Amino acid sequence: MPLDVNVAIEEVYRADWGRITATLIRFFSDFELAEEVAQEAFAAAVDQWPSAGIPESPRAWLIQTARHKGIDRIRRRARFAEKLEAYTAEETIRATSEPDAAVSDIADDRLRLIFTCCHPALALEAQVALTLHTLCGLETQEIARAFLVPTTTMAQRLVRAKRKIRDAGIPYIVPAAKELPERLDAVLTVIYLIFHEGYSSSRSGSLIRSDLCAEAIRLGRLLRRLMQQTPSEATGLLALMLLHDSRREARLDESGDLILLEEQDRRQWNSKQIAEGVQLVEEALRAPAGPFALQAAIAALHCQAPRAEDTDWHQIVRLYRVLEQLQPSPVVSLNRAVAVAMADGPEKALALVSALDADSGLENYYLLHAVRADLLRRTRSLEEAAESYKRALALVTNDAERRFLERRLQEVQSMT
C-alpha cells in the first residue's frame, strides 16, 4: 500500500472514527451494526484507495460505504422491506433536524457526541466505558485497565450496555441544555480517562501519547466554558490535566525511559501551564471541592515545590484523606500510602498497603505491587521487594514502565 494512502487511512481513523460511528448509530439505531459496518468500510478503503485514489472527503466516503453495507445486511433479514422503509424515513428526518454547532448548546462536535453517548439510562460506569470505546477509539483492554477489571469483564459490560440501548429503544440524540448537568459526571470521567490513557499509556511503546493528552485538554477547556453555571469540577479537571501535562517533557529520558517525579529536572516543566493550572485550582476551591478539584490541588503542591525535598507531603496526605472521604477508592488509598511514605517513612505506609488486600480489587493492579516493592526496598526487605517487583512485572503493559521495574528488580537482587 502506498505510504500516503496508509497515512490517510490511519489519520481518518484516529480523527473521525467517533464521528463516523456516531453517524451510523443515528442511522441504524444499532451500536453493534454501526461498529461492524464502520470496520468493513475501513477495510474497503484499504482495498480500494491504493488504486482508486484517496477520496476528496474520506469521512463521507467511509460513511456512505458503511451505510450501503449496513443496508445490505438489513435486506438479508426478515421483513427487510418494512425495516428499510422505516430507516429511510428516519434518515430523512434526521438529515433535516440533526443539531449542529449553530443550533446546539454544545459547540464542539466531539463534545456533543460524548454528551449524547453518556445517557443516564445506563449506569455511570457503562456510560463512560461505552463512550470511550465507541467515540474515543480506546480498546477494550485500555478501558478495562482504567476500571481495574479483566478485559473479558469489560467486554461483557460493553455488550450489555449496547443491548440495553437497543432493546430499550434509548434515543441517540444530543441532550437539551437542561439535561447536561445529569450527564456531567460521566462526561468529566470520560475526558479524564482519555487524558490518563495519554499520560500513562497502557499500550506497549511510548509511555506518553501526546495526541490524547492534547485532545483531552481541548475538551476540558470547552467543557469548562459550557458549564459556566457549575464550574467547580470542570475547572478542577482542566487544572488537573494542565498540571500533570506540564511535567510531560521531564518524565522520560532520551532513551524513552521513565524518570521518577523526585528525580525530574524541574527546569523542563512548563511554567506557563503550571501558572494557569494553579490559578484554576484556586478558582475551583472557592466552591465546595469535588474529587477533581482536590486532585488538582495535590498536583499544584507538587508543581509549586522548587525542589523535590520542598514538597509539602503532610499537606498532600491531608488532601488525600479528604479525597478518600469524598470518593472512597482503593487507588486513592494507595496514593495516600505513597504520600504517607514520603511524609512519615515507609514503615507506616507498608501497613496501609498491606491493608489493600485482594478484596480491594487491586490484586491485579501492577502499581499496588510496584509501590509495595519500593517500600520494601526502602526498608531493606530485599527478598520480599524482589518478589513484589516480579509480580508487578507480570502485570505491567507499557514498555517504559516495564524497563523501570526491571532495573529496580536488578538493583535489589544485586544487593541480596
PDB file of all heavy atoms in Angstrom, residues 334-370:
ATOM      1  N   LEU A 334      -4.198   3.898  47.942  1.00  0.00           N
ATOM      2  CA  LEU A 334      -2.826   3.562  47.567  1.00  0.00           C
ATOM      3  C   LEU A 334      -1.999   4.836  47.388  1.00  0.00           C
ATOM      4  O   LEU A 334      -0.847   4.915  47.844  1.00  0.00           O
ATOM      5  CB  LEU A 334      -2.822   2.744  46.278  1.00  0.00           C
ATOM      6  CG  LEU A 334      -1.452   2.301  45.760  1.00  0.00           C
ATOM      7  CD1 LEU A 334      -0.757   1.393  46.763  1.00  0.00           C
ATOM      8  CD2 LEU A 334      -1.597   1.600  44.404  1.00  0.00           C
ATOM      9  N   ASN A 335      -2.585   5.843  46.751  1.00  0.00           N
ATOM     10  CA  ASN A 335      -1.870   7.104  46.573  1.00  0.00           C
ATOM     11  C   ASN A 335      -1.604   7.782  47.920  1.00  0.00           C
ATOM     12  O   ASN A 335      -0.540   8.390  48.114  1.00  0.00           O
ATOM     13  CB  ASN A 335      -2.676   8.040  45.674  1.00  0.00           C
ATOM     14  CG  ASN A 335      -2.661   7.602  44.220  1.00  0.00           C
ATOM     15  OD1 ASN A 335      -1.724   6.950  43.772  1.00  0.00           O
ATOM     16  ND2 ASN A 335      -3.702   7.937  43.482  1.00  0.00           N
ATOM     17  N   ARG A 336      -2.544   7.675  48.849  1.00  0.00           N
ATOM     18  CA  ARG A 336      -2.325   8.244  50.183  1.00  0.00           C
ATOM     19  C   ARG A 336      -1.171   7.523  50.872  1.00  0.00           C
ATOM     20  O   ARG A 336      -0.355   8.149  51.562  1.00  0.00           O
ATOM     21  CB  ARG A 336      -3.592   8.147  51.029  1.00  0.00           C
ATOM     22  CG  ARG A 336      -3.410   8.761  52.427  1.00  0.00           C
ATOM     23  CD  ARG A 336      -4.732   8.921  53.145  1.00  0.00           C
ATOM     24  NE  ARG A 336      -5.306   7.661  53.561  1.00  0.00           N
ATOM     25  CZ  ARG A 336      -5.040   7.063  54.717  1.00  0.00           C
ATOM     26  NH1 ARG A 336      -4.180   7.601  55.575  1.00  0.00           N
ATOM     27  NH2 ARG A 336      -5.626   5.915  55.034  1.00  0.00           N
ATOM     28  N   ALA A 337      -1.095   6.214  50.676  1.00  0.00           N
ATOM     29  CA  ALA A 337       0.010   5.457  51.282  1.00  0.00           C
ATOM     30  C   ALA A 337       1.358   5.941  50.757  1.00  0.00           C
ATOM     31  O   ALA A 337       2.334   6.046  51.513  1.00  0.00           O
ATOM     32  CB  ALA A 337      -0.167   3.966  51.005  1.00  0.00           C
ATOM     33  N   VAL A 338       1.435   6.233  49.467  1.00  0.00           N
ATOM     34  CA  VAL A 338       2.672   6.752  48.892  1.00  0.00           C
ATOM     35  C   VAL A 338       3.031   8.087  49.542  1.00  0.00           C
ATOM     36  O   VAL A 338       4.198   8.337  49.892  1.00  0.00           O
ATOM     37  CB  VAL A 338       2.533   6.919  47.363  1.00  0.00           C
ATOM     38  CG1 VAL A 338       3.757   7.634  46.786  1.00  0.00           C
ATOM     39  CG2 VAL A 338       2.348   5.558  46.694  1.00  0.00           C
ATOM     40  N   ALA A 339       2.026   8.948  49.723  1.00  0.00           N
ATOM     41  CA  ALA A 339       2.267  10.243  50.356  1.00  0.00           C
ATOM     42  C   ALA A 339       2.704  10.072  51.810  1.00  0.00           C
ATOM     43  O   ALA A 339       3.591  10.785  52.292  1.00  0.00           O
ATOM     44  CB  ALA A 339       1.016  11.111  50.264  1.00  0.00           C
ATOM     45  N   VAL A 340       2.089   9.118  52.510  1.00  0.00           N
ATOM     46  CA  VAL A 340       2.472   8.851  53.897  1.00  0.00           C
ATOM     47  C   VAL A 340       3.927   8.392  53.966  1.00  0.00           C
ATOM     48  O   VAL A 340       4.681   8.784  54.865  1.00  0.00           O
ATOM     49  CB  VAL A 340       1.533   7.789  54.522  1.00  0.00           C
ATOM     50  CG1 VAL A 340       2.091   7.260  55.838  1.00  0.00           C
ATOM     51  CG2 VAL A 340       0.147   8.375  54.742  1.00  0.00           C
ATOM     52  N   ALA A 341       4.347   7.588  53.008  1.00  0.00           N
ATOM     53  CA  ALA A 341       5.738   7.127  52.982  1.00  0.00           C
ATOM     54  C   ALA A 341       6.705   8.293  52.856  1.00  0.00           C
ATOM     55  O   ALA A 341       7.768   8.304  53.495  1.00  0.00           O
ATOM     56  CB  ALA A 341       5.944   6.158  51.823  1.00  0.00           C
ATOM     57  N   MET A 342       6.327   9.281  52.064  1.00  0.00           N
ATOM     58  CA  MET A 342       7.190  10.445  51.889  1.00  0.00           C
ATOM     59  C   MET A 342       7.160  11.365  53.103  1.00  0.00           C
ATOM     60  O   MET A 342       8.157  12.018  53.429  1.00  0.00           O
ATOM     61  CB  MET A 342       6.771  11.214  50.633  1.00  0.00           C
ATOM     62  CG  MET A 342       6.860  10.396  49.347  1.00  0.00           C
ATOM     63  SD  MET A 342       8.500   9.712  49.013  1.00  0.00           S
ATOM     64  CE  MET A 342       9.429  11.214  48.722  1.00  0.00           C
ATOM     65  N   ALA A 343       6.011  11.411  53.783  1.00  0.00           N
ATOM     66  CA  ALA A 343       5.872  12.313  54.926  1.00  0.00           C
ATOM     67  C   ALA A 343       6.379  11.692  56.217  1.00  0.00           C
ATOM     68  O   ALA A 343       7.034  12.369  57.028  1.00  0.00           O
ATOM     69  CB  ALA A 343       4.410  12.722  55.087  1.00  0.00           C
ATOM     70  N   ASP A 344       6.102  10.398  56.424  1.00  0.00           N
ATOM     71  CA  ASP A 344       6.354   9.778  57.728  1.00  0.00           C
ATOM     72  C   ASP A 344       7.210   8.521  57.669  1.00  0.00           C
ATOM     73  O   ASP A 344       7.440   7.881  58.699  1.00  0.00           O
ATOM     74  CB  ASP A 344       5.025   9.434  58.410  1.00  0.00           C
ATOM     75  CG  ASP A 344       4.152  10.659  58.618  1.00  0.00           C
ATOM     76  OD1 ASP A 344       4.702  11.705  59.027  1.00  0.00           O
ATOM     77  OD2 ASP A 344       2.935  10.594  58.360  1.00  0.00           O
ATOM     78  N   GLY A 345       7.646   8.132  56.493  1.00  0.00           N
ATOM     79  CA  GLY A 345       8.502   6.965  56.380  1.00  0.00           C
ATOM     80  C   GLY A 345       7.794   5.749  55.812  1.00  0.00           C
ATOM     81  O   GLY A 345       6.567   5.625  55.892  1.00  0.00           O
ATOM     82  N   PRO A 346       8.553   4.820  55.213  1.00  0.00           N
ATOM     83  CA  PRO A 346       7.970   3.666  54.517  1.00  0.00           C
ATOM     84  C   PRO A 346       7.287   2.668  55.443  1.00  0.00           C
ATOM     85  O   PRO A 346       6.390   1.941  54.998  1.00  0.00           O
ATOM     86  CB  PRO A 346       9.166   3.034  53.811  1.00  0.00           C
ATOM     87  CG  PRO A 346      10.357   3.490  54.589  1.00  0.00           C
ATOM     88  CD  PRO A 346      10.022   4.856  55.085  1.00  0.00           C
ATOM     89  N   GLU A 347       7.676   2.586  56.714  1.00  0.00           N
ATOM     90  CA  GLU A 347       7.078   1.592  57.611  1.00  0.00           C
ATOM     91  C   GLU A 347       5.572   1.838  57.784  1.00  0.00           C
ATOM     92  O   GLU A 347       4.770   0.900  57.702  1.00  0.00           O
ATOM     93  CB  GLU A 347       7.777   1.609  58.974  1.00  0.00           C
ATOM     94  CG  GLU A 347       9.208   1.104  58.951  1.00  0.00           C
ATOM     95  CD  GLU A 347      10.195   2.168  58.483  1.00  0.00           C
ATOM     96  OE1 GLU A 347       9.772   3.327  58.256  1.00  0.00           O
ATOM     97  OE2 GLU A 347      11.388   1.831  58.344  1.00  0.00           O
ATOM     98  N   LYS A 348       5.206   3.082  58.051  1.00  0.00           N
ATOM     99  CA  LYS A 348       3.780   3.405  58.202  1.00  0.00           C
ATOM    100  C   LYS A 348       3.018   3.140  56.905  1.00  0.00           C
ATOM    101  O   LYS A 348       1.884   2.665  56.924  1.00  0.00           O
ATOM    102  CB  LYS A 348       3.614   4.855  58.629  1.00  0.00           C
ATOM    103  CG  LYS A 348       4.009   5.149  60.066  1.00  0.00           C
ATOM    104  CD  LYS A 348       3.637   6.576  60.438  1.00  0.00           C
ATOM    105  CE  LYS A 348       3.973   6.853  61.911  1.00  0.00           C
ATOM    106  NZ  LYS A 348       3.598   8.228  62.317  1.00  0.00           N
ATOM    107  N   ALA A 349       3.645   3.452  55.789  1.00  0.00           N
ATOM    108  CA  ALA A 349       2.982   3.243  54.509  1.00  0.00           C
ATOM    109  C   ALA A 349       2.790   1.764  54.213  1.00  0.00           C
ATOM    110  O   ALA A 349       1.776   1.359  53.623  1.00  0.00           O
ATOM    111  CB  ALA A 349       3.789   3.901  53.397  1.00  0.00           C
ATOM    112  N   LEU A 350       3.732   0.926  54.606  1.00  0.00           N
ATOM    113  CA  LEU A 350       3.604  -0.511  54.364  1.00  0.00           C
ATOM    114  C   LEU A 350       2.367  -1.088  55.039  1.00  0.00           C
ATOM    115  O   LEU A 350       1.683  -1.954  54.479  1.00  0.00           O
ATOM    116  CB  LEU A 350       4.853  -1.244  54.863  1.00  0.00           C
ATOM    117  CG  LEU A 350       5.952  -1.495  53.836  1.00  0.00           C
ATOM    118  CD1 LEU A 350       7.183  -2.062  54.513  1.00  0.00           C
ATOM    119  CD2 LEU A 350       5.457  -2.431  52.737  1.00  0.00           C
ATOM    120  N   ALA A 351       2.057  -0.601  56.240  1.00  0.00           N
ATOM    121  CA  ALA A 351       0.861  -1.077  56.939  1.00  0.00           C
ATOM    122  C   ALA A 351      -0.395  -0.723  56.146  1.00  0.00           C
ATOM    123  O   ALA A 351      -1.337  -1.523  56.064  1.00  0.00           O
ATOM    124  CB  ALA A 351       0.801  -0.461  58.334  1.00  0.00           C
ATOM    125  N   LEU A 352      -0.408   0.478  55.536  1.00  0.00           N
ATOM    126  CA  LEU A 352      -1.570   0.888  54.739  1.00  0.00           C
ATOM    127  C   LEU A 352      -1.687   0.046  53.473  1.00  0.00           C
ATOM    128  O   LEU A 352      -2.784  -0.363  53.080  1.00  0.00           O
ATOM    129  CB  LEU A 352      -1.447   2.368  54.371  1.00  0.00           C
ATOM    130  CG  LEU A 352      -1.475   3.366  55.530  1.00  0.00           C
ATOM    131  CD1 LEU A 352      -1.189   4.774  55.025  1.00  0.00           C
ATOM    132  CD2 LEU A 352      -2.818   3.322  56.244  1.00  0.00           C
ATOM    133  N   VAL A 353      -0.548  -0.227  52.839  1.00  0.00           N
ATOM    134  CA  VAL A 353      -0.576  -1.020  51.608  1.00  0.00           C
ATOM    135  C   VAL A 353      -0.987  -2.457  51.908  1.00  0.00           C
ATOM    136  O   VAL A 353      -1.731  -3.084  51.130  1.00  0.00           O
ATOM    137  CB  VAL A 353       0.809  -0.974  50.916  1.00  0.00           C
ATOM    138  CG1 VAL A 353       0.859  -1.967  49.752  1.00  0.00           C
ATOM    139  CG2 VAL A 353       1.101   0.435  50.416  1.00  0.00           C
ATOM    140  N   SER A 354      -0.536  -2.996  53.033  1.00  0.00           N
ATOM    141  CA  SER A 354      -0.910  -4.367  53.403  1.00  0.00           C
ATOM    142  C   SER A 354      -2.412  -4.498  53.606  1.00  0.00           C
ATOM    143  O   SER A 354      -2.989  -5.570  53.397  1.00  0.00           O
ATOM    144  CB  SER A 354      -0.166  -4.785  54.679  1.00  0.00           C
ATOM    145  OG  SER A 354       1.227  -4.810  54.455  1.00  0.00           O
ATOM    146  N   ALA A 355      -3.042  -3.390  54.024  1.00  0.00           N
ATOM    147  CA  ALA A 355      -4.496  -3.421  54.225  1.00  0.00           C
ATOM    148  C   ALA A 355      -5.252  -3.495  52.905  1.00  0.00           C
ATOM    149  O   ALA A 355      -6.423  -3.876  52.872  1.00  0.00           O
ATOM    150  CB  ALA A 355      -4.934  -2.187  55.010  1.00  0.00           C
ATOM    151  N   LEU A 356      -4.580  -3.129  51.813  1.00  0.00           N
ATOM    152  CA  LEU A 356      -5.222  -3.191  50.493  1.00  0.00           C
ATOM    153  C   LEU A 356      -5.008  -4.592  49.920  1.00  0.00           C
ATOM    154  O   LEU A 356      -4.232  -4.815  49.003  1.00  0.00           O
ATOM    155  CB  LEU A 356      -4.614  -2.142  49.568  1.00  0.00           C
ATOM    156  CG  LEU A 356      -4.889  -0.684  49.936  1.00  0.00           C
ATOM    157  CD1 LEU A 356      -4.047   0.255  49.081  1.00  0.00           C
ATOM    158  CD2 LEU A 356      -6.366  -0.361  49.766  1.00  0.00           C
ATOM    159  N   ASP A 357      -5.727  -5.559  50.462  1.00  0.00           N
ATOM    160  CA  ASP A 357      -5.556  -6.948  50.053  1.00  0.00           C
ATOM    161  C   ASP A 357      -6.378  -7.242  48.811  1.00  0.00           C
ATOM    162  O   ASP A 357      -6.857  -6.345  48.120  1.00  0.00           O
ATOM    163  CB  ASP A 357      -5.945  -7.884  51.198  1.00  0.00           C
ATOM    164  CG  ASP A 357      -7.360  -7.608  51.702  1.00  0.00           C
ATOM    165  OD1 ASP A 357      -8.143  -6.963  50.976  1.00  0.00           O
ATOM    166  OD2 ASP A 357      -7.683  -8.024  52.832  1.00  0.00           O
ATOM    167  N   ALA A 358      -6.557  -8.510  48.532  1.00  0.00           N
ATOM    168  CA  ALA A 358      -7.274  -8.915  47.317  1.00  0.00           C
ATOM    169  C   ALA A 358      -8.700  -8.403  47.284  1.00  0.00           C
ATOM    170  O   ALA A 358      -9.265  -8.176  46.212  1.00  0.00           O
ATOM    171  CB  ALA A 358      -7.261 -10.439  47.198  1.00  0.00           C
ATOM    172  N   ASP A 359      -9.315  -8.187  48.447  1.00  0.00           N
ATOM    173  CA  ASP A 359     -10.701  -7.715  48.472  1.00  0.00           C
ATOM    174  C   ASP A 359     -10.837  -6.300  47.944  1.00  0.00           C
ATOM    175  O   ASP A 359     -11.935  -5.852  47.632  1.00  0.00           O
ATOM    176  CB  ASP A 359     -11.245  -7.781  49.905  1.00  0.00           C
ATOM    177  CG  ASP A 359     -11.401  -9.218  50.386  1.00  0.00           C
ATOM    178  OD1 ASP A 359     -11.520 -10.108  49.519  1.00  0.00           O
ATOM    179  OD2 ASP A 359     -11.401  -9.446  51.608  1.00  0.00           O
ATOM    180  N   SER A 360      -9.735  -5.544  47.866  1.00  0.00           N
ATOM    181  CA  SER A 360      -9.803  -4.161  47.396  1.00  0.00           C
ATOM    182  C   SER A 360      -9.935  -4.081  45.877  1.00  0.00           C
ATOM    183  O   SER A 360     -10.240  -3.025  45.331  1.00  0.00           O
ATOM    184  CB  SER A 360      -8.541  -3.401  47.823  1.00  0.00           C
ATOM    185  OG  SER A 360      -7.412  -3.873  47.099  1.00  0.00           O
ATOM    186  N   GLY A 361      -9.701  -5.175  45.183  1.00  0.00           N
ATOM    187  CA  GLY A 361      -9.752  -5.166  43.725  1.00  0.00           C
ATOM    188  C   GLY A 361      -8.447  -4.761  43.076  1.00  0.00           C
ATOM    189  O   GLY A 361      -8.375  -4.622  41.851  1.00  0.00           O
ATOM    190  N   LEU A 362      -7.385  -4.590  43.872  1.00  0.00           N
ATOM    191  CA  LEU A 362      -6.098  -4.140  43.333  1.00  0.00           C
ATOM    192  C   LEU A 362      -5.093  -5.263  43.138  1.00  0.00           C
ATOM    193  O   LEU A 362      -3.955  -4.996  42.750  1.00  0.00           O
ATOM    194  CB  LEU A 362      -5.482  -3.078  44.255  1.00  0.00           C
ATOM    195  CG  LEU A 362      -6.240  -1.762  44.415  1.00  0.00           C
ATOM    196  CD1 LEU A 362      -5.419  -0.781  45.248  1.00  0.00           C
ATOM    197  CD2 LEU A 362      -6.559  -1.147  43.060  1.00  0.00           C
ATOM    198  N   GLU A 363      -5.474  -6.489  43.397  1.00  0.00           N
ATOM    199  CA  GLU A 363      -4.507  -7.593  43.331  1.00  0.00           C
ATOM    200  C   GLU A 363      -3.873  -7.701  41.943  1.00  0.00           C
ATOM    201  O   GLU A 363      -2.710  -8.074  41.815  1.00  0.00           O
ATOM    202  CB  GLU A 363      -5.194  -8.912  43.693  1.00  0.00           C
ATOM    203  CG  GLU A 363      -4.251 -10.108  43.743  1.00  0.00           C
ATOM    204  CD  GLU A 363      -3.097  -9.934  44.742  1.00  0.00           C
ATOM    205  OE1 GLU A 363      -3.275  -9.223  45.765  1.00  0.00           O
ATOM    206  OE2 GLU A 363      -2.024 -10.496  44.486  1.00  0.00           O
ATOM    207  N   ASN A 364      -4.616  -7.349  40.892  1.00  0.00           N
ATOM    208  CA  ASN A 364      -4.078  -7.407  39.534  1.00  0.00           C
ATOM    209  C   ASN A 364      -3.682  -6.032  39.007  1.00  0.00           C
ATOM    210  O   ASN A 364      -3.551  -5.838  37.791  1.00  0.00           O
ATOM    211  CB  ASN A 364      -5.095  -8.053  38.592  1.00  0.00           C
ATOM    212  CG  ASN A 364      -5.305  -9.523  38.909  1.00  0.00           C
ATOM    213  OD1 ASN A 364      -4.339 -10.241  39.180  1.00  0.00           O
ATOM    214  ND2 ASN A 364      -6.543  -9.969  38.890  1.00  0.00           N
ATOM    215  N   TYR A 365      -3.518  -5.071  39.913  1.00  0.00           N
ATOM    216  CA  TYR A 365      -3.104  -3.717  39.571  1.00  0.00           C
ATOM    217  C   TYR A 365      -1.604  -3.618  39.806  1.00  0.00           C
ATOM    218  O   TYR A 365      -1.133  -3.694  40.942  1.00  0.00           O
ATOM    219  CB  TYR A 365      -3.866  -2.726  40.438  1.00  0.00           C
ATOM    220  CG  TYR A 365      -3.656  -1.264  40.145  1.00  0.00           C
ATOM    221  CD1 TYR A 365      -3.649  -0.779  38.839  1.00  0.00           C
ATOM    222  CD2 TYR A 365      -3.482  -0.356  41.186  1.00  0.00           C
ATOM    223  CE1 TYR A 365      -3.475   0.564  38.575  1.00  0.00           C
ATOM    224  CE2 TYR A 365      -3.328   1.002  40.938  1.00  0.00           C
ATOM    225  CZ  TYR A 365      -3.326   1.451  39.629  1.00  0.00           C
ATOM    226  OH  TYR A 365      -3.151   2.793  39.373  1.00  0.00           O
ATOM    227  N   TYR A 366      -0.850  -3.458  38.744  1.00  0.00           N
ATOM    228  CA  TYR A 366       0.609  -3.568  38.877  1.00  0.00           C
ATOM    229  C   TYR A 366       1.188  -2.530  39.827  1.00  0.00           C
ATOM    230  O   TYR A 366       2.202  -2.773  40.497  1.00  0.00           O
ATOM    231  CB  TYR A 366       1.269  -3.480  37.505  1.00  0.00           C
ATOM    232  CG  TYR A 366       1.556  -2.085  37.026  1.00  0.00           C
ATOM    233  CD1 TYR A 366       2.811  -1.514  37.222  1.00  0.00           C
ATOM    234  CD2 TYR A 366       0.584  -1.321  36.384  1.00  0.00           C
ATOM    235  CE1 TYR A 366       3.095  -0.232  36.794  1.00  0.00           C
ATOM    236  CE2 TYR A 366       0.848  -0.050  35.961  1.00  0.00           C
ATOM    237  CZ  TYR A 366       2.107   0.490  36.166  1.00  0.00           C
ATOM    238  OH  TYR A 366       2.365   1.773  35.752  1.00  0.00           O
ATOM    239  N   LEU A 367       0.559  -1.350  39.907  1.00  0.00           N
ATOM    240  CA  LEU A 367       1.106  -0.303  40.766  1.00  0.00           C
ATOM    241  C   LEU A 367       1.031  -0.662  42.251  1.00  0.00           C
ATOM    242  O   LEU A 367       1.857  -0.202  43.043  1.00  0.00           O
ATOM    243  CB  LEU A 367       0.392   1.025  40.505  1.00  0.00           C
ATOM    244  CG  LEU A 367       0.858   1.786  39.253  1.00  0.00           C
ATOM    245  CD1 LEU A 367       0.008   3.021  39.030  1.00  0.00           C
ATOM    246  CD2 LEU A 367       2.331   2.149  39.348  1.00  0.00           C
ATOM    247  N   LEU A 368       0.046  -1.460  42.649  1.00  0.00           N
ATOM    248  CA  LEU A 368      -0.001  -1.912  44.042  1.00  0.00           C
ATOM    249  C   LEU A 368       1.288  -2.658  44.379  1.00  0.00           C
ATOM    250  O   LEU A 368       1.918  -2.402  45.409  1.00  0.00           O
ATOM    251  CB  LEU A 368      -1.210  -2.818  44.273  1.00  0.00           C
ATOM    252  CG  LEU A 368      -1.244  -3.528  45.636  1.00  0.00           C
ATOM    253  CD1 LEU A 368      -1.470  -2.522  46.759  1.00  0.00           C
ATOM    254  CD2 LEU A 368      -2.323  -4.612  45.661  1.00  0.00           C
ATOM    255  N   HIS A 369       1.686  -3.561  43.504  1.00  0.00           N
ATOM    256  CA  HIS A 369       2.877  -4.373  43.757  1.00  0.00           C
ATOM    257  C   HIS A 369       4.157  -3.549  43.574  1.00  0.00           C
ATOM    258  O   HIS A 369       5.138  -3.764  44.287  1.00  0.00           O
ATOM    259  CB  HIS A 369       2.863  -5.583  42.833  1.00  0.00           C
ATOM    260  CG  HIS A 369       1.617  -6.400  42.970  1.00  0.00           C
ATOM    261  ND1 HIS A 369       1.402  -7.246  44.026  1.00  0.00           N
ATOM    262  CD2 HIS A 369       0.490  -6.463  42.198  1.00  0.00           C
ATOM    263  CE1 HIS A 369       0.208  -7.814  43.902  1.00  0.00           C
ATOM    264  NE2 HIS A 369      -0.359  -7.342  42.802  1.00  0.00           N
ATOM    265  N   ALA A 370       4.128  -2.588  42.646  1.00  0.00           N
ATOM    266  CA  ALA A 370       5.289  -1.723  42.458  1.00  0.00           C
ATOM    267  C   ALA A 370       5.513  -0.838  43.679  1.00  0.00           C
ATOM    268  O   ALA A 370       6.654  -0.640  44.117  1.00  0.00           O
ATOM    269  CB  ALA A 370       5.110  -0.871  41.205  1.00  0.00           C
TER     270      ALA A 370
END
